[in-house]
Amino acid sequence: MKKKLLLVFILLLAGCSSNLQEDTVNSTEGLAEVNEMTLNEQGDMREETDLGLIGEKVIKTVYLDYETLAYEDSQKYLLEKIADFKAYIEYSTESNNGLQNETFNNRVPLRQVHYTLRVPTENLNAFLDALSGMNAVKTSQQIGAEDATKNYRDIEARINVLNQKEVRLQELLEDAETVEQLLLIEDNLSETIAEREILQSQLDNIDDLIDYTQVYVQLSEKQRLSQNPGQAVSFWQRVKHALLDSLYSFYYWMQDAAVWLIYALPYILILGFLITLFIVLYKRFIAKKKR
Protein backbone atom coordinates (compact mmCIF):
# COMPACT_ATOMS: atom_id res chain seq x y z
CA MET A 1 0.00 0.00 0.00
CA LYS A 2 2.81 2.38 0.90
CA LYS A 3 4.59 1.61 -2.37
CA LYS A 4 1.44 2.49 -4.35
CA LEU A 5 1.04 5.84 -2.55
CA LEU A 6 4.73 6.67 -3.17
CA LEU A 7 4.33 5.85 -6.87
CA VAL A 8 1.27 8.14 -7.18
CA PHE A 9 3.13 10.98 -5.41
CA ILE A 10 6.08 10.68 -7.81
CA LEU A 11 3.75 10.78 -10.82
CA LEU A 12 2.07 13.95 -9.48
CA LEU A 13 5.44 15.65 -9.00
CA ALA A 14 6.48 14.75 -12.53
CA GLY A 15 3.24 16.20 -13.93
CA CYS A 16 3.66 19.47 -12.01
CA SER A 17 7.26 19.77 -13.13
CA SER A 18 6.24 19.22 -16.74
CA ASN A 19 3.57 21.93 -16.53
CA LEU A 20 6.00 24.31 -14.83
CA GLN A 21 8.62 23.81 -17.55
CA GLU A 22 5.99 24.33 -20.23
CA ASP A 23 4.83 27.61 -18.62
CA THR A 24 8.41 28.80 -18.30
CA VAL A 25 9.10 27.97 -21.94
CA ASN A 26 5.99 29.87 -22.99
CA SER A 27 7.07 32.87 -20.91
CA THR A 28 10.57 32.71 -22.37
CA GLU A 29 9.14 32.54 -25.89
CA GLY A 30 7.03 35.60 -25.08
CA LEU A 31 10.10 37.52 -23.91
CA ALA A 32 12.03 36.44 -26.98
CA GLU A 33 9.21 37.72 -29.14
CA VAL A 34 9.26 41.05 -27.32
CA ASN A 35 13.06 41.34 -27.72
CA GLU A 36 12.86 40.44 -31.41
CA MET A 37 10.16 43.04 -32.01
CA THR A 38 12.24 45.58 -30.09
CA LEU A 39 15.28 44.97 -32.30
CA ASN A 40 13.16 45.26 -35.43
CA GLU A 41 11.61 48.53 -34.24
CA GLN A 42 15.05 49.91 -33.34
CA GLY A 43 16.23 49.17 -36.87
CA ASP A 44 13.17 50.87 -38.36
CA MET A 45 13.60 53.91 -36.12
CA ARG A 46 17.31 54.24 -36.98
CA GLU A 47 16.45 54.19 -40.69
CA GLU A 48 13.99 57.03 -40.06
CA THR A 49 16.56 59.10 -38.15
CA ASP A 50 19.02 58.81 -41.02
CA LEU A 51 16.49 60.66 -43.16
CA GLY A 52 15.92 63.42 -40.55
CA LEU A 53 16.98 67.03 -40.71
CA ILE A 54 20.60 67.92 -39.94
CA GLY A 55 21.58 70.91 -37.86
CA GLU A 56 18.64 71.13 -35.46
CA LYS A 57 20.77 70.19 -32.44
CA VAL A 58 24.10 72.04 -32.42
CA ILE A 59 26.49 72.22 -29.45
CA LYS A 60 28.71 75.31 -29.45
CA THR A 61 31.95 75.87 -27.56
CA VAL A 62 33.82 79.19 -27.25
CA TYR A 63 37.40 79.83 -26.10
CA LEU A 64 38.49 83.41 -25.26
CA ASP A 65 41.84 84.78 -24.09
CA TYR A 66 42.22 88.34 -22.75
CA GLU A 67 45.14 90.42 -21.51
CA THR A 68 44.66 93.43 -19.24
CA LEU A 69 46.57 96.08 -17.34
CA ALA A 70 43.61 96.70 -15.02
CA TYR A 71 43.01 93.18 -13.75
CA GLU A 72 40.48 93.93 -11.01
CA ASP A 73 38.40 96.29 -13.17
CA SER A 74 38.31 93.80 -16.04
CA GLN A 75 37.35 90.94 -13.75
CA LYS A 76 34.57 93.02 -12.18
CA TYR A 77 33.24 93.97 -15.63
CA LEU A 78 33.26 90.32 -16.74
CA LEU A 79 31.31 89.20 -13.66
CA GLU A 80 28.74 91.94 -14.24
CA LYS A 81 28.18 90.81 -17.82
CA ILE A 82 27.81 87.21 -16.70
CA ALA A 83 24.96 88.29 -14.44
CA ASP A 84 23.42 90.64 -17.04
CA PHE A 85 23.06 87.88 -19.64
CA LYS A 86 21.78 85.26 -17.15
CA ALA A 87 24.88 83.11 -17.47
CA TYR A 88 26.56 81.33 -14.60
CA ILE A 89 30.04 80.18 -13.59
CA GLU A 90 30.39 76.42 -13.75
CA TYR A 91 34.05 76.37 -12.69
CA SER A 92 36.75 78.94 -11.96
CA THR A 93 40.37 78.96 -10.86
CA GLU A 94 42.63 81.91 -10.07
CA SER A 95 46.40 81.88 -9.70
CA ASN A 96 49.11 84.35 -8.77
CA ASN A 97 52.11 83.12 -10.69
CA GLY A 98 55.51 84.64 -11.36
CA LEU A 99 55.70 84.90 -15.12
CA GLN A 100 59.25 84.67 -16.40
CA ASN A 101 60.55 87.46 -18.61
CA GLU A 102 61.83 86.31 -21.98
CA THR A 103 65.09 88.26 -21.86
CA PHE A 104 66.17 88.07 -18.22
CA ASN A 105 65.46 85.41 -15.66
CA ASN A 106 63.44 87.71 -13.42
CA ARG A 107 59.98 86.83 -12.17
CA VAL A 108 57.12 89.26 -11.70
CA PRO A 109 53.96 88.20 -9.77
CA LEU A 110 50.96 88.47 -12.11
CA ARG A 111 47.39 87.24 -11.67
CA GLN A 112 45.43 85.01 -13.99
CA VAL A 113 41.90 83.63 -13.82
CA HIS A 114 40.16 80.89 -15.81
CA TYR A 115 36.36 80.72 -16.05
CA THR A 116 34.17 77.96 -17.44
CA LEU A 117 30.87 79.70 -18.14
CA ARG A 118 27.47 78.46 -19.22
CA VAL A 119 25.82 81.16 -21.30
CA PRO A 120 22.25 80.85 -22.65
CA THR A 121 22.72 80.15 -26.35
CA GLU A 122 20.12 82.77 -27.28
CA ASN A 123 22.27 85.39 -25.46
CA LEU A 124 25.66 84.16 -26.71
CA ASN A 125 26.25 86.69 -29.50
CA ALA A 126 25.13 89.61 -27.35
CA PHE A 127 27.37 88.41 -24.51
CA LEU A 128 30.43 88.18 -26.79
CA ASP A 129 29.72 91.65 -28.18
CA ALA A 130 29.41 93.07 -24.66
CA LEU A 131 32.86 91.75 -23.72
CA SER A 132 34.37 94.17 -26.24
CA GLY A 133 33.70 96.90 -23.68
CA MET A 134 36.01 95.28 -21.16
CA ASN A 135 39.25 97.10 -20.40
CA ALA A 136 41.29 94.28 -21.94
CA VAL A 137 42.77 93.11 -25.23
CA LYS A 138 41.40 89.92 -26.78
CA THR A 139 44.39 87.87 -27.90
CA SER A 140 42.48 84.89 -29.29
CA GLN A 141 38.98 83.60 -29.92
CA GLN A 142 37.89 80.15 -31.06
CA ILE A 143 34.29 79.07 -31.69
CA GLY A 144 33.51 75.42 -32.34
CA ALA A 145 30.22 73.73 -33.27
CA GLU A 146 29.26 70.06 -33.05
CA ASP A 147 26.18 68.75 -34.84
CA ALA A 148 24.48 66.37 -32.39
CA THR A 149 21.23 66.01 -34.36
CA LYS A 150 21.75 62.45 -35.57
CA ASN A 151 22.92 61.20 -32.19
CA TYR A 152 20.03 62.99 -30.47
CA ARG A 153 17.41 61.49 -32.78
CA ASP A 154 18.94 58.03 -32.44
CA ILE A 155 18.75 58.21 -28.63
CA GLU A 156 15.16 59.45 -28.84
CA ALA A 157 14.25 56.50 -31.05
CA ARG A 158 15.86 54.02 -28.66
CA ILE A 159 13.97 55.55 -25.72
CA ASN A 160 10.66 55.23 -27.59
CA VAL A 161 11.39 51.58 -28.34
CA LEU A 162 12.26 50.90 -24.71
CA ASN A 163 9.00 52.56 -23.60
CA GLN A 164 7.05 50.23 -25.88
CA LYS A 165 9.02 47.26 -24.62
CA GLU A 166 8.24 48.25 -21.02
CA VAL A 167 4.50 48.31 -21.80
CA ARG A 168 4.65 44.82 -23.33
CA LEU A 169 6.61 43.47 -20.38
CA GLN A 170 4.03 44.94 -18.00
CA GLU A 171 1.33 43.07 -19.91
CA LEU A 172 3.32 39.83 -19.72
CA LEU A 173 3.87 40.43 -16.01
CA GLU A 174 0.10 40.62 -15.42
CA ASP A 175 -0.41 37.31 -17.26
CA ALA A 176 2.42 35.48 -15.44
CA GLU A 177 1.23 32.41 -13.50
CA THR A 178 4.39 31.09 -11.82
CA VAL A 179 7.18 32.50 -9.68
CA GLU A 180 9.75 31.66 -12.36
CA GLN A 181 7.79 33.65 -14.93
CA LEU A 182 7.51 36.61 -12.57
CA LEU A 183 11.25 36.63 -11.84
CA LEU A 184 12.20 36.30 -15.51
CA ILE A 185 9.90 39.12 -16.64
CA GLU A 186 10.87 41.39 -13.74
CA ASP A 187 14.57 40.98 -14.58
CA ASN A 188 13.92 42.03 -18.18
CA LEU A 189 11.73 44.89 -16.99
CA SER A 190 14.43 46.20 -14.61
CA GLU A 191 17.08 46.06 -17.35
CA THR A 192 14.77 47.91 -19.74
CA ILE A 193 14.02 50.69 -17.22
CA ALA A 194 17.71 51.07 -16.31
CA GLU A 195 18.75 51.32 -19.97
CA ARG A 196 16.01 53.88 -20.64
CA GLU A 197 17.11 56.05 -17.69
CA ILE A 198 20.73 56.02 -18.89
CA LEU A 199 19.67 57.09 -22.37
CA GLN A 200 17.38 59.78 -20.93
CA SER A 201 20.28 61.23 -18.92
CA GLN A 202 22.35 61.39 -22.12
CA LEU A 203 19.49 63.19 -23.84
CA ASP A 204 19.15 65.66 -20.97
CA ASN A 205 22.89 66.35 -21.08
CA ILE A 206 22.76 67.13 -24.81
CA ASP A 207 19.78 69.44 -24.25
CA ASP A 208 21.68 71.25 -21.50
CA LEU A 209 24.76 71.69 -23.72
CA ILE A 210 22.57 73.04 -26.52
CA ASP A 211 20.59 75.46 -24.36
CA TYR A 212 23.67 76.73 -22.45
CA THR A 213 26.86 77.20 -24.45
CA GLN A 214 30.15 76.47 -22.72
CA VAL A 215 32.42 79.53 -22.81
CA TYR A 216 36.01 79.26 -21.56
CA VAL A 217 37.50 82.64 -20.62
CA GLN A 218 41.10 83.29 -19.59
CA LEU A 219 41.94 86.73 -18.22
CA SER A 220 45.66 87.42 -17.69
CA GLU A 221 47.23 90.39 -15.97
CA LYS A 222 50.09 91.88 -17.95
CA GLN A 223 52.59 94.67 -17.42
CA ARG A 224 52.46 95.44 -21.12
CA LEU A 225 49.80 94.33 -23.57
CA SER A 226 50.54 92.33 -26.68
CA GLN A 227 50.84 94.41 -29.83
CA ASN A 228 48.51 93.67 -32.77
CA PRO A 229 47.39 90.24 -31.44
CA GLY A 230 46.51 87.79 -34.16
CA GLN A 231 47.80 90.05 -36.99
CA ALA A 232 50.85 89.94 -39.22
CA VAL A 233 53.71 92.10 -37.92
CA SER A 234 56.02 93.99 -40.28
CA PHE A 235 59.82 94.18 -39.88
CA TRP A 236 59.82 97.71 -38.43
CA GLN A 237 57.04 96.78 -36.02
CA ARG A 238 59.13 93.82 -34.87
CA VAL A 239 62.11 96.16 -34.37
CA LYS A 240 59.92 98.54 -32.38
CA HIS A 241 58.61 95.69 -30.22
CA ALA A 242 62.14 94.41 -29.66
CA LEU A 243 63.31 97.85 -28.47
CA LEU A 244 60.33 98.16 -26.16
CA ASP A 245 60.95 94.67 -24.79
CA SER A 246 64.59 95.57 -24.14
CA LEU A 247 63.62 98.76 -22.31
CA TYR A 248 61.07 96.91 -20.19
CA SER A 249 63.57 94.14 -19.47
CA PHE A 250 66.23 96.68 -18.43
CA TYR A 251 63.69 98.51 -16.28
CA TYR A 252 62.69 95.35 -14.41
CA TRP A 253 66.32 94.24 -14.23
CA MET A 254 67.13 97.51 -12.43
CA GLN A 255 64.26 96.88 -10.04
CA ASP A 256 65.51 93.36 -9.36
CA ALA A 257 69.05 94.67 -8.84
CA ALA A 258 67.83 97.27 -6.33
CA VAL A 259 65.80 94.65 -4.45
CA TRP A 260 68.79 92.27 -4.46
CA LEU A 261 71.04 95.00 -3.03
CA ILE A 262 68.56 95.61 -0.21
CA TYR A 263 68.51 91.90 0.62
CA ALA A 264 72.30 91.66 0.36
CA LEU A 265 73.07 94.88 2.29
CA PRO A 266 73.68 93.18 5.70
CA TYR A 267 76.02 90.65 4.09
CA ILE A 268 77.83 93.42 2.20
CA LEU A 269 78.32 95.40 5.43
CA ILE A 270 79.65 92.38 7.29
CA LEU A 271 81.93 91.47 4.39
CA GLY A 272 83.17 95.07 4.19
CA PHE A 273 83.86 95.10 7.94
CA LEU A 274 85.85 91.86 7.71
CA ILE A 275 87.86 93.10 4.74
CA THR A 276 88.61 96.40 6.54
CA LEU A 277 89.64 94.53 9.70
CA PHE A 278 91.88 92.25 7.68
CA ILE A 279 93.56 95.22 5.98
CA VAL A 280 94.16 96.99 9.32
CA LEU A 281 95.63 93.89 10.94
CA TYR A 282 97.76 93.19 7.89
CA LYS A 283 99.20 96.73 7.92
CA ARG A 284 100.04 96.43 11.64
CA PHE A 285 101.73 93.15 11.00
CA ILE A 286 103.85 94.63 8.22
CA ALA A 287 104.75 97.64 10.38
CA LYS A 288 105.92 95.43 13.26
CA LYS A 289 107.95 93.29 10.91
CA LYS A 290 109.83 96.32 9.55
CA ARG A 291 110.87 97.36 13.06
Side-chain angles (χ1 to χ4, degrees), residues 101-289:
N101 189 279
E102 296 179 357
T103 307
F104 296 94
N105 194 28
N106 61 324
R107 302 180 70 83
V108 180
L110 298 174
R111 291 167 291 181
Q112 188 176 73
V113 63
H114 299 264
Y115 288 113
T116 299
L117 308 177
R118 300 300 296 273
V119 181
T121 302
E122 58 184 4
N123 298 337
L124 179 61
N125 292 332
F127 174 75
L128 297 178
D129 291 339
L131 291 184
S132 61
M134 183 166 57
N135 187 13
V137 174
K138 182 167 62 178
T139 57
S140 69
Q141 174 177 307
Q142 299 178 17
I143 300 178
E146 177 187 357
D147 187 0
T149 306
K150 188 176 183 302
N151 186 35
Y152 190 93
R153 298 305 181 203
D154 183 62
I155 294 175
E156 274 188 332
R158 291 165 63 188
I159 290 176
N160 291 332
V161 170
L162 290 173
N163 287 332
Q164 296 175 14
K165 181 179 178 181
E166 182 181 355
V167 172
R168 291 178 184 139
L169 288 172
Q170 292 285 0
E171 294 174 353
L172 287 175
L173 189 62
E174 293 176 358
D175 296 335
E177 298 178 355
T178 65
V179 175
E180 284 76 7
Q181 290 177 356
L182 287 172
L183 293 176
L184 187 61
I185 295 172
E186 285 179 351
D187 287 342
N188 279 268
L189 187 59
S190 299
E191 292 176 359
T192 301
I193 294 174
E195 184 179 357
R196 185 195 62 198
E197 290 179 349
I198 292 173
L199 292 174
Q200 186 62 51
S201 66
Q202 294 177 6
L203 210 61
D204 294 340
N205 183 55
I206 293 175
D207 283 331
D208 186 50
L209 291 174
I210 292 171
D211 294 337
Y212 283 82
T213 300
Q214 281 189 322
V215 180
Y216 299 91
V217 181
Q218 175 177 295
L219 180 63
S220 302
E221 183 181 22
K222 296 290 183 179
Q223 293 172 323
R224 189 170 67 89
L225 300 178
S226 300
Q227 302 294 324
N228 300 324
Q231 300 178 7
V233 181
S234 66
F235 172 74
W236 292 111
Q237 287 178 324
R238 292 173 60 189
V239 171
K240 177 183 175 182
H241 297 165
L243 290 173
L244 289 175
D245 288 338
S246 297
L247 291 175
Y248 272 92
S249 297
F250 180 73
Y251 171 71
Y252 289 113
W253 179 85
M254 292 294 294
Q255 287 186 346
D256 290 341
V259 172
W260 181 86
L261 285 174
I262 294 173
Y263 276 112
L265 186 59
Y267 302 97
I268 293 174
L269 292 176
I270 293 173
L271 183 61
F273 173 77
L274 292 176
I275 292 174
T276 303
L277 181 62
F278 174 78
I279 293 174
V280 171
L281 293 176
Y282 179 75
K283 287 182 177 180
R284 288 182 181 181
F285 175 77
I286 296 297
K288 288 180 179 181
K289 190 174 181 181

Side-chain angles (χ1 to χ4, degrees), residues 30-43:
L31 289 175
E33 182 180 355
V34 171
N35 291 331
E36 183 178 357
M37 294 176 66
T38 300
L39 292 174
N40 292 334
E41 290 177 1
Q42 283 181 340

Side-chain angles (χ1 to χ4, degrees), residues 43-56:
D44 295 339
M45 295 297 285
R46 287 196 182 102
E47 288 179 1
E48 291 179 5
T49 57
D50 290 339
L51 300 176
L53 298 175
I54 302 300
E56 296 177 357

